[in-house]
Amino acid sequence: MDEKYDVVVVGGGAAGLSAAVALTRSRRSVLVVDSGEPRNASAGHVHNYLARENTPPAELLAIGRDELAGYGGEVVRQTVTSVSRAEEEFTVSLADGRRVRARRVLVASGLADELPEVAGLAQRWGRDVLHCPYCHGWEARDQAIGVLSTGPMTVHQALMWRQLTDDVVVFRHTYGDFDEAQLRARGIRIVDGLVAAVETESGQLTGVRLESGEVVAREALVVAPRFTARADFLAPLGIEPAPVEVDGFVVGTAVPAQPTGTTSVPGLWVAGNVTDMHAQVVVAAVAGLKTGAAINGELVMEEAEAAARLAQEPFSHEMEREVARRVNAHQHEASPFDQSSWEERYRSRPEIWSGRPNEQLVTEATGLEPGHALDAGCGEGGDAIWLAQRGWQVTAVDFSVTAVERGRAQAEKLGVAERISWVVADLAEWVPAAKFDLATSHFLHVPPTARKAAFERLADAVSPGGTLLVVGHDLTDPHASRPHLADMVFTAEEVAKTLDSSWASVVTELRERTAAGADGAEMAARDTVLVARKG
């Protein structure tokens, strides 16, 4: 992770990811901190989300994370312990001891469902112990439904579910102060007594057991949880979730905010269930988009005002540098390409890359006689494994321990482990101990100083008659429009200028290829490619 971001988003659900995508598309540096405990984890599918109907919740979030990564945003799997503010800057503290700074913080941490104390409810939650008819009603249509009365929404819930089935029973349980007339008019039966447990058989709910021992056969049970905002970490800012009441009955808590998402603390915003307990997934996503756009608008005006103030003062080169620093701070303070950031990126997901070899490597290496190859910046090992499968002895180097271990495991699985030597090292400092018939590096986008050192060592490692292949995202490629890449992008011509007279041929080209975008659709990608043969 980087030291400072334009925006740190707490919570990687629909609201948080939607806001983060909107912000990164506006070239803001964004870090999403997500605990990995989505409220709807137990649900089978997301509903009422246009064009994403029946998508499993985990799949929807994975798609969102991929879209965010496509624009340069970062996600870290961690828990926020506190958020503090000093001198117009926030400090976000994480459970592992790390801290990051931010110009703005968006809290989209959602809420927790506190279920009534009835044995078996928690284990069935989201499957056949339900709450929202819009989320689960169609799937439970025509079933025998029970409604557990625990508050003033009992009649409303029962009538909503009666729309979906003609077999509804209300269990009076702990709250009996409701009007029975409408229920009886709709053929809804009322059962007195406290509920002790739910009965199951073969992994399915089969009934509701009262304290008296009577069991009422039911296929699903509707409950009204207490909705508790996940926002304890905001205490250092003086923010506490406020109780939400219905007819004088507290049904949950929420962080108070204006419709735009602003809170009483300047620069602190909220979106989604943490402030709106009734927001379904699509509503939370919309709220995240609106709030993300509002945050970007506020930052735009802040930068413009800072530039205008400085422009009114006597001009100096020092002042010019200060204007550039303030207006473009996010491009210089945050870079998602250092060793710790890549390590966290690999750890936060089961895999990053497809496992397929890079297209330019296949093009250039297919006609070469197998020998010894160096894969610099090997990632999860797709190129190294491809070379090994074609008879090459490969040294694969990357500074991410997680990436190297994944490559090693895949090589063993595919039976080429003996052909690959794996090395964990920073290419800016690592010096190869041997010469290679092929040295290849794909998309080594690191700061200029580190890149120059790495490419010099890469070129020096090529044996006489060997091949050097360096590939990067071209300046006109969509990847190059990501935040923080201005100093990271290079051209093949730039690399060629570092080569000495020992090279018999040096070819620099711009090549187009077809790649998969963040949404899975095909997109045109452009690579800057250097292919050099040593004399």
Side-chain angles (χ1 to χ4, degrees):
M1 296 187 303
D2 305 307
E3 184 180 0
K4 184 176 179 181
Y5 295 81
D6 284 327
V7 184
V8 168
V9 179
V10 183
L17 288 174
S18 183
V21 168
L23 286 159
T24 52
R25 282 177 56 85
S26 293
R27 309 197 74 176
R28 297 295 177 187
S29 57
V30 178
L31 174 69
V32 176
V33 183
D34 182 54
S35 65
E37 299 173 343
R39 176 192 176 199
N40 60 357
S42 60
H45 303 88
V46 169
H47 300 291
N48 302 304
Y49 199 135
L50 189 62
R52 292 294 183 187
E53 179 68 18
N54 280 315
T55 303
E59 181 180 330
L60 185 72
L61 296 182
I63 293 170
R65 289 191 293 268
D66 285 343
E67 291 174 351
L68 176 62
Y71 295 113
E74 300 173 64
V75 178
V76 60
R77 182 66 60 83
Q78 195 50 251
T79 300
V80 172
T81 56
S82 68
V83 178
S84 59
R85 184 174 185 266
E87 299 181 356
E88 299 185 357
E89 180 178 277
F90 291 92
T91 297
V92 181
S93 300
L94 308 185
D96 63 1
R98 287 177 294 178
R99 294 181 178 182
V100 291
R101 296 178 294 129
R103 300 168 67 189
R104 299 292 186 274
V105 171
L106 170 59
V107 176
S109 48
L111 56 81
D113 297 304
E114 296 182 6
L115 299 175
E117 293 185 3
V118 173
L121 283 191
Q123 291 78 8
R124 309 303 306 168
W125 180 239
R127 290 181 284 177
D128 39 32
V129 172
L130 312 171
H131 165 63
C132 171
Y134 296 106
C135 303
H136 303 282
W138 176 260
E139 287 67 35
R141 68 192 185 281
D142 298 326
Q143 293 183 9
I145 303 294
V147 177
L148 189 68
S149 179
T150 57
M153 296 301 291
T154 297
V155 172
H156 175 74
Q157 279 188 308
L159 293 175
M160 291 290 287
W161 286 90
R162 178 61 179 82
Q163 175 69 19
L164 297 157
T165 178
D166 58 6
D167 187 357
V168 178
V169 169
V170 170
F171 295 91
R172 198 181 296 273
H173 194 51
T174 60
Y175 188 89
D177 186 18
F178 54 79
D179 185 354
E180 301 179 12
Q182 290 180 325
L183 300 182
R184 298 190 187 282
R186 290 288 284 147
I188 298 173
R189 185 161 62 98
I190 301 171
V191 175
D192 293 328
L194 292 173
V195 171
V198 293
E199 300 281 339
T200 61
E201 185 177 326
S202 301
Q204 298 291 326
L205 190 146
T206 57
V208 175
R209 176 161 51 86
L210 304 176
E211 284 193 345
S212 65
E214 178 188 358
V215 175
V216 179
R218 295 289 90 185
E219 295 173 275
L221 181 64
V222 176
V223 302
R226 188 178 190 275
F227 304 116
T228 303
R230 294 172 170 171
D232 292 346
F233 53 85
L234 295 179
L237 297 173
I239 295 284
E240 291 187 5
V244 178
E245 297 183 358
V246 175
D247 296 336
F249 189 92
V250 176
V251 296
T253 61
V255 175
Q258 297 298 314
T260 56
T262 57
T263 69
S264 59
V265 176
L268 179 73
W269 301 66
V270 291
N273 285 144
V274 74
T275 187
D276 179 6
M277 63 174 59
H278 301 297
Q280 295 185 38
V281 177
V282 67
V283 177
V286 170
L289 170 61
K290 293 171 63 177
T291 304
I295 292 172
N296 181 60
E298 185 176 81
L299 290 172
V300 166
M301 294 307 300
E302 178 183 280
E303 292 158 354
E305 290 168 3
R309 285 195 302 270
L310 289 170
Q312 294 174 358
E313 300 177 12
F315 177 82
S316 69
H317 290 295
E318 182 176 321
M319 189 172 297
E320 181 181 29
R321 288 193 295 271
E322 176 64 9
V323 171
R325 186 192 71 79
R326 293 191 183 187
V327 174
N328 301 305
H330 64 282
Q331 294 187 356
H332 298 282
E333 291 177 326
S335 167
F337 299 98
D338 60 17
Q339 184 174 6
S340 60
S341 297
W342 270 110
E343 180 61 29
E344 185 59 46
R345 185 180 180 190
Y346 280 114
R347 285 204 309 258
S348 67
R349 294 173 57 187
E351 63 178 10
I352 297 292
W353 312 118
S354 68
R356 296 187 295 271
N358 282 293
E359 185 173 312
Q360 310 308 342
L361 174 68
V362 174
T363 298
E364 296 302 325
T366 296
L368 297 179
E369 184 71 23
H372 287 79
L374 169 62
D375 182 5
C378 64
E380 293 167 324
D383 285 354
I385 291 171
W386 183 85
L387 287 166
Q389 288 174 324
R390 281 147 187 81
W392 290 81
Q393 289 293 138
V394 185
T395 298
V397 185
D398 200 281
F399 58 16
S400 167
V401 175
T402 300
V404 167
E405 289 305 313
R406 287 180 184 173
R408 192 195 311 274
Q410 184 68 1
E412 291 177 356
K413 180 180 177 181
L414 296 176
V416 293
E418 74 283 356
R419 291 188 171 276
I420 306 176
S421 298
W422 301 92
V423 178
V424 177
D426 188 336
L427 290 168
E429 302 172 355
W430 180 71
V431 179
K435 300 294 184 180
F436 299 89
D437 303 300
L438 170 65
T440 175
S441 172
H442 281 71
F443 311 116
L444 186 63
H445 293 290
V446 293
T449 302
R451 183 172 68 241
K452 182 175 183 296
F455 286 160
E456 286 177 349
R457 290 187 172 91
L458 196 64
D460 186 61
V462 178
S463 61
T467 300
L468 173 65
L469 172 63
V470 177
V471 180
H473 295 299
D474 185 69
L475 291 167
T476 61
D477 186 77
H479 290 85
S481 65
R482 296 177 183 177
H484 331 300
L485 263 176
D487 293 334
M488 311 292 178
V489 178
F490 60 89
T491 66
E493 289 75 15
E494 176 187 335
V495 180
K497 290 179 181 179
T498 67
L499 301 181
D500 57 27
S501 59
S502 65
W503 297 86
S505 66
V506 179
V507 176
T508 59
E509 293 181 338
L510 174 62
R511 299 180 184 177
E512 291 195 355
R513 58 184 170 85
T514 300
D519 59 358
E522 289 189 349
M523 60 176 286
R526 288 174 290 276
D527 296 337
T528 183
V529 181
L530 175 138
V531 183
R533 317 286 183 188
K534 185 168 280 191

